[in-house]
């Protein structure tokens, strides 16, 4: 088994095989031109049996090198944000809208997002989360509403099928504009409350 799958929990019958199968298929993906410039595909990280799923935009430079989401500066801030509400990346799952790095960290375009979406949806159905957190506007526009406005609608609850979903500012946006941190803290507290209602086992405090 690939090293990046080893942090997963123990056997879970057919679902484990399905997950591994999905991972293996995804590693071969050439469905959009981002495969041409990636170093590593970034499938996701964490506990795939967690009920809490965070979804970012796409890999940056460090993520592309390591094959793991949120390992650069934004990732460090994400870890701090998680710690503030008793979460840890080993007890949640983290993925992105696109799995290969857009060159120069540009936004993934609609075609790329569309091409990659099936992988994410298959991950979502195997994870079967109770809560999804969109990190930033790209994930929110894909998963909540095409015309989602992060400035007005961050911290509010929506539905993705029967899953509760909320968007918060992307950690990179918080690095650029620290003034947004206090409102993000309020959103994180609302998230903590929801997790304690729906799946308290995800919290380590
Ligand atoms: N930004 C993202 O949206 N995802 C990552 O994995 C890293 C940075
Ligand atoms: Fe495939 Fe997604 Fe990578 Fe495009 S970004 S090549 S769809 S895995």
């Amino acid at each position: 088994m690939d090293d990046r799958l080893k942090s997963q929990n123990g056997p879970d019958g057919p679902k484990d095989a399905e997950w591994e199968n999905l991972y293996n298929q995804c590693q071969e993906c050439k469905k959009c031109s981002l495969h041409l410039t990636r170093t590593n595909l970034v499938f996701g990280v964490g506990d795939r049996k967690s009920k809490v799923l965070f979804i970012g935009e796409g890999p940056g430079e460090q993520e592309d090198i390591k094959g793991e989401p949120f390992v650069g500066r934004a990732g460090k801030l994400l870890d701090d944000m998680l710690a503030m509400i008793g979460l840890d990346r080993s007890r949640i799952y983290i993925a992105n809208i696109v799995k290969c790095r857009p060159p120069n960290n540009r936004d993934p375009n609609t075609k790329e997002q569309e091409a990659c979406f099936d992988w994410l949806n298959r991950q979502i159905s195997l994870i079967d989360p109770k809560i999804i957190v969109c990190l930033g506007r790209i994930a929110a526009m894909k998963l909540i509403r095409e015309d989602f406005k992060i400035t007005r609608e961050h911290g509010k609850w929506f539905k993705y099928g029967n899953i509760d979903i909320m968007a918060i500012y992307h950690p990179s946006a918080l690095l650029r504009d620290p003034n947004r941190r206090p409102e993000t803290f309020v959103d994180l507290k609302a998230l903590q409350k929801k997790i304690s209602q729906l799946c308290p086992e995800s919290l380590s405090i």
Side-chain angles (χ1 to χ4, degrees), residues 42 55-60 63 68-72 74-75 94-96 135 170 172:
V42 178
I55 302 179
E57 180 179 323
E63 290 77 20
E68 202 177 306
F70 287 98
V71 290
I94 309 176
N96 280 309
L135 295 166
H170 194 287
S172 301

Side-chain angles (χ1 to χ4, degrees), residues 63-181:
E63 290 77 20
D64 175 65
I65 292 168
K66 297 217 175 111
E68 202 177 306
F70 287 98
V71 290
R73 262 184 88 215
K76 180 79 193 52
L77 179 56
L78 177 61
D79 285 341
D80 293 344
M81 290 159 66
L82 295 174
M84 274 180 200
I85 55 165
L87 287 177
D88 184 276
R89 69 162 68 205
S90 65
R91 299 172 81 133
I92 58 172
Y93 198 82
I94 309 176
N96 280 309
I97 292 292
V98 293
K99 303 200 180 300
C100 304
R101 182 191 180 202
N104 306 314
N105 300 341
R106 65 164 170 74
D107 289 349
N109 65 36
T110 315
K111 239 169 118 182
E112 292 155 353
Q113 290 184 35
E114 206 42 55
C116 212
F117 199 46
D118 184 50
W119 297 122
L120 182 62
N121 263 326
R122 288 162 72 185
Q123 284 178 302
I124 294 173
S125 68
L126 288 174
I127 294 170
D128 191 22
K130 292 199 165 134
I131 298 171
I132 295 179
V133 183
C134 299
L135 295 166
R137 51 180 273 276
I138 298 281
M141 288 163 71
K142 190 76 194 154
L143 296 168
I144 301 177
R145 239 184 34 251
E146 217 175 311
D147 62 349
F148 188 88
K149 294 280 177 287
I150 191 87
T151 46
R152 282 207 303 270
E153 298 179 287
H154 67 86
K156 295 194 187 344
W157 289 104
F158 298 87
K159 284 280 184 185
Y160 184 75
N162 56 10
I163 306 167
D164 288 293
I165 186 166
M166 166 203 279
I168 61 175
Y169 282 115
H170 194 287
S172 301
L174 299 173
L175 288 171
R176 280 195 303 273
D177 185 0
N179 291 330
R180 289 172 172 171
R181 289 189 189 199

Side-chain angles (χ1 to χ4, degrees), residues 182-193:
E183 38 187 333
T184 302
F185 187 66
V186 174
D187 298 347
L188 288 169
K189 293 306 274 183
L191 171 62
Q192 183 182 41
K193 186 171 167 206

